């Protein structure tokens, strides 16, 4: 069945206008460089001129940009709309966005290419240097997923091309009226001008719709980075966030805010991990309960539906559901299996540079590190609303992989994906939790059985138990030194004992496997994506990375920061230890190994200047770390991709535990598209990294998460947040999403600062958790 079939008929009934302009439609300007068979799911309304595509221009001048990515707080709503506004020449006050259903036109080909090992099961298909196979997969499957910080990489150029075509059409329409060449017209601030003559976008929309655009569309000169001056960027931002006013006044719609006529509310209970099957419950305990609409029994859950969520949740507590299975999960023993594999197991080689095994026949220094399972802990737990009527399902949900979510819901209730309409809503946080689809399946099943619109919201304990955790890892790092060199590293080997966590996730996402089946399919597989970032960003001649796959009894998956959130902790902690063994300043020790990476070296120098680096002396409480993510290795030219960050943390240990007082970071993310949002993402990433350093971890006892509430996760409060100072480095390199960098760099910087403050080396995340 063609997954694109029927997409063009899906109406978008809820248009979000977030920029102070009135709701309007108008000229839909398509992206003509892709085949027309990738039709747009945006259906023109009254007085609109629909060509299908990325943006509309209404007759009142409002420019509405299709948003194919999930807004999770990362600012993609504003960044993608800004790309259009700049290329089109629109006034920012006339720009709005419209969440777009999945469609081949909006495919995220960049993410499909990176995740090729997850959806391609045939050897060689993942080796796709031109990206043609990935593009074909993404477009034919309407793969518009939001992940890995690839929104700009995937959508900037298509959006610019669509906006450039629209700009040309508007100029052509005005030029016809004035009898001049359209190339002579200027388009800026929402107006088309020629000499003293000017016309607004709205006045030209209908006429422009009848014209043919130039092929290829005339792009403006590549936009330069904004001035990185903090004062100018923060006091007078050129592109304030579109979603901010609605979030401040409470009118912004998240998944849990949907309200439909006749809607009822559902809560749910699942069995503890390892005991998945429902065997008994006391239905008589809720007989006659006022407000209870119904009870839905499934093999894997029990749901109660009522006039309010509170009534539904209390009904579940009264019914005391019982679940059975082979054995409830106990994480303590499972995690010991990681250490056993590290000590005794044979790994599969992921990376080899030079002759690391020969150089490390007898390592000069080796050390073990580990990270515990980490939870996403989004403020909004899994929520979705469904209406099933006449064999059709409508689904309101915050989904990072919308089309795959749509298909999973359809399969669960035995209907065609063509009979499912997905209305994208924003997420109240995610950190990749909304790549999972279990709650979409459940709300579809409940709505089908109840026969009324239903909103399902998971209780916090269910969220912490069922959303797969970021994988635990045990790691051994080994180094060999160049003789008589003052500790210069000649060889490096990283061994990572952990599940094939990304392959496991891929089986859930692309094959719609249950968590148990996904773990079984991924067992024993080596996982390159799970080891990403394990090659140190230093000039070391001989490097090896080995993955030792370990099967755990609980599911794992991606989380904000991805693999770099643990590999950077291992690498940067180990580098500090090697610097100390060599009697060297940790900054100078690092900088001497960055001769071929000038952008990374510049970040490191800037961060230490910002923080007033004192050499990392004992008792000062300063710690240093750096991370490079994404893109090829750098040679110093403007084409070098990826992002870089260096951070100096100031920390101490007192009666209240770990206290981080300052974080100074220097950041190079190439060309900065929106300075405000880049700063927000770095600051938020650093605080998220702080949460990984202090908490965010769970254990499983009798198959249930401990702790089971946010209050027990040791998350930083507002009072715990340190002073944060950020400096962006000017660069004309390709733009890089900044959302993951701070997450990866904060934990090792804080760990190294804690060692400076106390003289005790903490080699486990969360810090201060050794032996727990």
């Amino acid at each position: 069945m063609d997954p694109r079939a029927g997409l063009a008929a899906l109406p978008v009934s809820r248009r979000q206008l977030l920029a102070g302009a009135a709701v309007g439609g108008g000229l839909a300007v398509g992206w003509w460089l892709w085949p027309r068979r990738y039709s747009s799911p945006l259906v023109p309304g009254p007085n609109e001129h629909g060509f299908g595509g990325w943006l509309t221009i209404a007759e009142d001048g409002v420019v509405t940009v299709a948003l194919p990515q999930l807004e999770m707080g990362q600012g993609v709503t504003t960044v993608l709309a800004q790309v259009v506004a700049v290329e089109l020449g629109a006034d920012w006050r006339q720009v709005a966005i419209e969440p777009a259903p999945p469609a081949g036109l909006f495919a995220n080909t960049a993410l499909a290419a990176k995740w090729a090992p997850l959806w391609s099961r045939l050897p060689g298909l993942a080796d796709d240097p031109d990206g043609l196979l990935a593009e074909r997969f993404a477009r034919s499957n309407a793969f518009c997923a939001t992940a890995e910080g690839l929104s700009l990489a995937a959508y900037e150029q298509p959006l610019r091309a669509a906006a450039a075509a629209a700009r040309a059409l508007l100029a052509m329409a005005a030029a016809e009226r004035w009898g001049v060449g359209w190339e002579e017209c200027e388009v800026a601030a929402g107006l088309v001008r020629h000499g003293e003559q000017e016309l607004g976008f709205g006045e030209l929309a209908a006429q422009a719709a009848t014209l043919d655009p130039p092929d290829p569309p005339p792009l403006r000169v590549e936009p330069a980075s904004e001035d990185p001056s903090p004062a100018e960027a923060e006091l007078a931002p050129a592109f304030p966030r579109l979603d901010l006013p609605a979030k401040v006044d409470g009118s912004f719609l998240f998944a849990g805010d949907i309200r439909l006529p006749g809607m009822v509310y559902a809560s749910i209970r699942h069995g503890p991990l390892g005991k998945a099957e429902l065997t008994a419950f006391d239905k008589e305990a809720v007989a006659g309960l006022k407000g209870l609409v119904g009870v839905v029994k499934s093999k894997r859950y029990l749901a109660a539906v009522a006039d309010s969520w509170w009534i539904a949740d209390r009904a579940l507590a009264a019914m005391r559901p019982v679940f059975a299975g082979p054995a409830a999960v106990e994480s303590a023993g499972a995690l010991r299996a990681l250490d056993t594999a590290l000590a005794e197991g044979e790994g599969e080689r992921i990376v080899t540079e030079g002759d690391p095994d020969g150089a490390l026949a007898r390592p000069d220094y080796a050390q073990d590190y580990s990270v515990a399972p980490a939870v996403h802990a989004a403020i909004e737990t899994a929520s979705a609303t469904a209406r099933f009527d006449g064999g059709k399902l409508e689904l309101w949900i915050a989904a990072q992989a919308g089309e795959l979510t749509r298909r999973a819901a359809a399969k669960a209730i035995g209907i065609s994906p063509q009979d499912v309409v997905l209305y994208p809503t924003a997420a109240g946080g995610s950190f990749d939790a909304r790549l999972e689809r279990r709650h979409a399946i459940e709300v579809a099943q409940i709505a089908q059985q109840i026969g009324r619109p239903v909103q399902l919201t998971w209780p916090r304990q269910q969220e912490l138990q069922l959303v797969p955790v970021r994988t635990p890892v045990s790691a051994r790092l080994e180094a060999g030194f160049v003789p008589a060199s003052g500790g210069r590293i000649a060889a490096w080997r990283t061994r990572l004992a952990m599940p094939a966590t990304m392959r496991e996730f891929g089986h859930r996402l692309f094959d719609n496997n249950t968590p148990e089946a996904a773990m079984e399919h991924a067992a024993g597989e080596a996982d390159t994506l799970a080891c990403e970032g394990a090659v140190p960003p230093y000039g070391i001649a001989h490097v090896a990375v080995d993955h030792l796959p370990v099967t755990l009894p609980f599911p794992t998956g991606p989380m904000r920061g991805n693999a770099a959130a643990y590999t950077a902790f291992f690498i940067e902690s180990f580098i500090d230890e090697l610097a100390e063994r060599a009697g060297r300043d940790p900054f100078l020790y690092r900088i001497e190994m960055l001769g071929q990476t000038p952008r990374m070296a510049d970040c490191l120098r800037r961060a230490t200047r910002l923080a007033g680096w004192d050499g990392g002396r004992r008792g000062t409480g300063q710690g240093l770390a750096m991370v490079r993510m994404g893109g090829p290795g750098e040679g110093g030219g403007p084409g070098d991709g990826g992002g870089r960050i260096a951070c100096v943390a100031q920390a101490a240990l007192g009666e209240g535990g770990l206290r981080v007082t300052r974080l100074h970071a220097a950041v190079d993310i190439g060309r900065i598209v929106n300075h405000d949002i880049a700063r927000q993402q770095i600051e938020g990433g650093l605080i998220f990294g702080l949460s990984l350093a202090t908490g965010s971890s769970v254990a499983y006892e009798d198959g249930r998460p401990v702790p089971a509430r946010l209050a027990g996760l040791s998350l930083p409060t507002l009072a715990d947040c340190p002073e944060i100072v950020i400096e962006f480095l000017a660069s004309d390199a390709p733009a890089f999403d900044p959302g993951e960098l701070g997450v990866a760099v904060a934990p090792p910087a804080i760990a190294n600062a804690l060692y400076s403050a106390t003289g005790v080396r903490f080699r486990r995340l969360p810090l201060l958790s050794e032996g727990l």
Side-chain angles (χ1 to χ4, degrees):
M1 182 177 297
D2 185 350
R4 294 166 294 160
L7 284 176
L10 300 183
V12 176
S13 62
R14 184 172 61 87
R15 171 164 293 176
Q16 289 186 338
L17 185 63
L18 304 174
V23 173
L27 164 67
V29 182
W31 169 218
W32 286 273
L33 297 187
W34 290 111
R36 291 182 184 272
R37 70 175 182 272
Y38 298 118
S39 57
S40 171
L42 307 181
V43 178
N47 301 317
E48 293 182 343
H49 308 276
F51 293 84
W54 290 92
L55 60 103
T56 68
I57 304 174
E59 293 182 7
D60 61 3
V62 173
V63 177
T64 302
V65 181
L67 180 68
Q69 296 280 272
L70 175 65
E71 177 62 67
M72 303 176 279
Q74 79 277 38
V76 68
T77 293
T78 298
V79 169
L80 295 186
Q82 178 187 328
V83 168
V84 169
V86 171
E87 186 65 49
L88 179 62
D91 188 312
W92 189 237
R93 293 170 295 181
Q94 71 186 106
V95 177
I97 63 96
E98 184 169 338
L105 181 68
F106 302 140
N108 189 335
T109 57
L111 183 60
K114 181 165 186 181
W115 281 359
L118 306 184
W119 55 261
S120 171
R121 299 287 181 253
L122 297 177
L125 281 184
D127 184 14
D128 182 20
D130 298 321
L132 297 178
L133 294 173
E135 180 176 351
R136 180 177 178 181
F137 165 83
R139 296 200 182 280
S140 63
N141 287 280
F143 182 68
C144 307
T146 309
E148 298 272 4
L150 291 174
S151 295
L152 265 178
Y155 294 107
E156 183 176 22
Q157 288 307 312
L159 282 170
R160 286 189 64 199
R167 173 168 44 82
L169 287 172
L170 293 167
M172 291 163 68
E176 281 190 1
R177 297 190 188 186
W178 297 330
V180 299
W182 70 269
E183 296 90 346
E184 302 171 20
C185 297
E186 177 190 1
V187 184
L191 299 169
V192 182
R193 295 187 178 92
H194 184 272
E196 297 298 318
Q197 303 176 97
E198 66 178 31
L199 289 169
F201 285 2
E203 299 172 88
L204 297 166
Q207 181 182 353
T210 66
L211 305 176
D212 293 325
D215 185 9
L219 296 174
R220 296 184 190 270
V221 176
E222 184 81 9
S225 295
E226 295 179 29
D227 186 332
S229 162
E232 181 175 343
E234 293 183 5
L235 296 178
F239 299 96
R241 287 185 67 134
L242 292 179
D243 54 347
L244 189 58
K247 286 180 176 177
V248 170
D249 68 22
S251 62
F252 193 90
L253 291 181
F254 295 98
D257 293 326
I258 300 301
R259 296 293 180 267
L260 301 175
M263 189 176 83
V264 289
Y265 301 85
S267 187
I268 199 164
R269 294 290 187 276
H270 306 82
L273 294 178
K275 293 185 176 182
E277 294 193 14
L278 178 67
T279 58
F281 63 97
D282 184 5
K283 192 171 183 179
E284 294 302 316
V286 295
L289 178 63
K290 185 178 180 180
L292 183 65
V293 174
V295 175
V296 177
K297 172 188 174 183
S298 172
K299 180 180 179 180
R300 292 179 174 270
Y301 65 80
L302 182 68
V305 184
D307 292 338
S308 77
W309 185 87
W310 179 252
I311 295 173
D313 197 60
R314 292 302 87 202
L316 286 170
M319 287 188 287
R320 300 189 300 276
V322 178
F323 294 85
V329 170
E330 300 286 342
S331 60
L335 297 182
R336 285 195 291 271
L338 299 178
D339 296 332
T340 301
L342 193 64
E344 303 173 2
E346 290 294 327
E348 183 166 335
R349 182 60 48 89
I350 299 293
V351 175
T352 302
E353 297 176 4
D355 180 22
D357 293 327
L360 289 170
R362 297 185 63 181
D364 291 307
Y365 187 66
Q367 194 55 257
D368 292 351
Y369 302 87
S370 65
V371 300
V375 292
H376 302 75
I379 292 178
E380 181 185 42
T381 60
S383 302
T385 302
R387 177 165 56 198
F388 184 78
D389 186 31
K392 308 285 186 181
L393 177 70
E394 294 175 281
L395 187 62
W396 289 260
I397 191 169
Q400 286 182 247
E403 176 63 11
L404 294 172
T405 298
R406 197 170 75 103
R407 294 185 195 178
K411 182 179 179 181
I413 59 175
I415 64 175
S416 166
Q418 298 177 24
D419 292 326
V420 179
V421 180
L422 187 146
Y423 300 100
T425 68
S430 174
F431 319 119
D432 285 347
R434 302 304 163 237
L435 284 165
E436 305 294 334
R437 289 85 49 81
R438 182 180 288 198
H439 60 302
I441 292 169
E442 292 167 350
V443 76
Q445 294 170 334
I446 295 168
Q448 185 184 47
Q449 291 199 38
I450 292 296
R452 294 174 61 178
V454 175
Q455 183 170 99
L456 170 66
T457 302
W458 283 6
R460 176 62 62 185
Q461 178 175 324
Q462 300 293 291
E463 171 93 357
L464 294 178
Q465 176 179 311
L466 293 170
V467 175
V469 292
R470 190 205 56 196
T471 185
V473 187
S474 290
R476 174 165 298 160
L477 277 65
E478 302 168 331
F481 302 125
V482 176
S485 66
R488 185 157 57 90
I489 303 171
W492 178 293
R493 181 164 54 216
T494 299
R495 289 165 52 82
L496 300 170
M498 60 179 174
T501 181
M502 287 301 292
R503 290 192 176 276
E504 177 189 327
F505 160 71
H507 285 291
R508 290 197 304 271
L509 182 69
F510 294 107
D511 301 332
N512 203 27
N513 287 150
T514 65
E516 295 80 10
M519 289 188 287
E520 182 179 345
H521 285 308
E525 295 185 349
D527 193 337
T528 302
L529 289 175
C531 300
E532 193 172 33
V535 175
Y538 300 100
I540 301 172
H542 308 286
V543 176
V545 176
D546 296 334
H547 178 202
L548 294 81
V550 179
T551 300
L552 295 177
F554 52 85
T556 64
M559 196 173 79
R560 185 179 184 183
N562 301 309
Y566 46 85
T567 55
F569 173 68
F570 304 148
I571 290 169
E572 290 300 290
S573 296
F574 193 53
I575 283 286
D576 249 44
E577 296 201 48
L578 296 179
E580 183 182 41
R581 284 178 60 85
R584 304 291 305 281
D585 176 330
F587 161 65
L588 295 176
Y589 189 71
R590 286 175 169 86
I591 205 76
E592 287 180 3
M593 293 186 286
L594 296 176
Q596 302 302 313
T597 54
R599 290 175 63 195
M600 189 72 257
D602 201 12
C603 280
L604 195 60
R605 283 190 289 264
R606 298 285 188 93
T608 54
R609 289 177 198 158
L610 275 178
W613 176 255
D614 64 358
R617 293 172 298 163
R618 185 70 55 82
T620 60
Q622 282 192 328
L624 177 64
M626 55 171 248
V627 174
R628 187 181 73 206
M629 296 178 69
E634 59 180 311
D640 296 326
R644 295 144 180 84
I645 187 169
C647 178
V648 176
Q650 185 84 41
L653 190 61
E655 292 183 2
L658 171 61
R659 180 71 176 172
V660 180
T661 55
R662 285 189 294 276
L663 293 171
H664 290 80
V667 184
D668 182 347
I669 54 172
R671 175 176 49 83
I672 300 175
V673 174
N674 185 300
H675 195 281
D676 250 15
I677 290 177
R679 180 174 297 278
Q680 292 163 16
Q681 284 296 287
I682 295 295
E683 290 174 345
L686 290 170
I687 293 172
F688 197 94
L690 172 61
S691 79
L692 295 175
T694 61
S696 299
S697 181
V698 295
Y700 296 110
E701 297 177 3
D702 195 27
R704 301 193 186 278
V706 179
R709 301 182 62 188
L710 285 181
L713 291 176
S714 299
L715 301 176
T717 65
L718 187 60
D720 298 321
C721 291
E723 174 190 358
I724 297 176
V725 179
I726 296 171
E727 180 178 332
F728 287 101
L729 279 64
S731 174
D732 59 356
F736 181 80
D737 185 283
E740 319 283 350
L741 286 167
V743 180
V745 81
I750 294 168
N752 292 335
L754 193 57
Y755 176 73
S756 170
T758 66
V760 178
R761 179 68 66 179
F762 295 92
R763 301 186 178 96
R764 175 181 169 84
L765 286 182
L767 303 173
L768 313 183
S769 66
E770 271 82 350
L772 297 182

